[in-house]
Amino acid sequence: MRHDDIWRALDALAAEHGLTASGLARKAGLDPTTFNKSKRLTGEGKPRWPSTESVSKVLDAVGAPLERLTELITGNAVAPRRASAAPQRRIPLIGLAQAGAEGYFDEAGYPVGGSWDEIDLPSVADPHAYAVEISGDSMEPVYRDGDIVIVSPAAPTRRGDRVVVRTNEGEVLAKELVRRSARRIELASLNPAFPDRGFDIDEVNWIARIIWASQ
């Protein structure tokens, strides 16, 4: 269990109930700044973990079992079974070039607003998953122009994962995660003709894992 996975799960739990991280803390009777991003690292850059008491209060406040938080941490939530349902789901769709504009994501990287298109794609467990249509050749030969990828904000990210990253400047990239520390993220380009990239943590708005592609 990783530090980033715990915080991402709490962000996902808040979003499920229409709350921000601050709103979730307030609902649980905690200081509204308890779950702020600035509180997730110490002044020396070391990981700061939420207390078990805080987690317990949050689960009580939203009426969620501990199992739900565990599902969000691991990214292995099980979708409810329906006897005759087809394994499809309508999920939000955005173009890669569009994704850098304001108004499409909240601060945790979850889709918001009413300007998204929709598309029928294989069902995934994350209720906040969305689709991105690749444009251009910067991700060839892995992803080509017109390919659709499903992105899961709740899925934990690890070295070697293909991810979508949005910077605070509005740049959106699809890369391979090489290394993630408390201070920096290193990314490898999928197309060898394009350079690898690296960012300080405070330059990154969010990072989310690609869990499916239409190829």
Side-chain angles (χ1 to χ4, degrees):
M1 187 178 299
R2 302 189 324 165
H3 173 263
D4 289 343
D5 298 340
I6 292 285
W7 285 113
R8 186 176 297 104
L10 286 172
D11 287 337
L13 188 66
E16 281 187 355
H17 294 273
L19 300 168
T20 62
S22 296
L24 181 64
R26 190 179 295 109
K27 186 176 180 68
L30 304 169
D31 185 298
T33 66
T34 300
F35 299 146
N36 283 8
K37 289 186 177 180
S38 60
K39 296 289 187 71
R40 301 179 186 187
L41 297 173
T42 67
E44 294 75 36
K46 295 181 179 179
R48 177 181 282 138
W49 298 75
S51 70
T52 54
E53 181 181 8
S54 296
V55 171
S56 177
K57 288 183 176 181
V58 161
L59 294 175
D60 287 344
V62 299
L66 179 61
E67 289 78 11
R68 179 55 188 150
L69 184 65
T70 302
E71 290 172 349
L72 292 171
I73 291 171
T74 61
N76 292 326
V78 178
R81 290 187 177 182
R82 291 180 293 177
S84 59
Q88 296 285 315
R89 172 181 155 199
R90 291 190 71 77
I91 63 176
L93 170 69
I94 194 172
L96 188 67
Q98 264 183 302
E102 296 298 324
Y104 290 100
F105 299 94
D106 65 15
E107 63 178 15
Y110 295 92
V112 295
S115 301
W116 291 72
D117 291 327
E118 288 190 332
I119 189 171
D120 287 319
L121 284 174
S123 180
V124 293
D126 182 359
H128 302 289
Y130 57 90
V132 174
E133 183 175 1
I134 301 299
S135 58
D137 62 356
S138 64
M139 282 149 281
E140 291 184 353
V142 180
Y143 303 126
R144 295 177 171 80
D145 188 68
D147 283 346
I148 301 291
V149 298
I150 296 180
V151 179
S152 173
T157 55
R158 297 179 175 86
R159 184 172 60 184
D161 285 343
R162 290 166 184 166
V163 296
V164 173
V165 176
R166 189 180 194 274
T167 70
N168 294 333
E169 300 298 322
E171 185 179 8
V172 179
L173 313 94
K175 301 282 186 183
E176 181 178 312
L177 181 60
V178 174
R179 181 174 177 271
R180 182 175 186 170
S181 68
R183 295 182 179 275
R184 192 158 176 85
I185 291 176
E186 300 293 341
L187 305 167
S189 178
L190 302 179
N191 185 335
F194 289 77
D196 297 341
R197 301 289 297 275
F199 299 96
D200 291 336
I201 287 292
D202 59 8
E203 295 180 292
V204 175
N205 188 210
W206 50 257
I207 179 170
R209 195 172 85 194
I210 295 173
I211 59 172
W212 184 88
S214 65
Q215 301 156 303

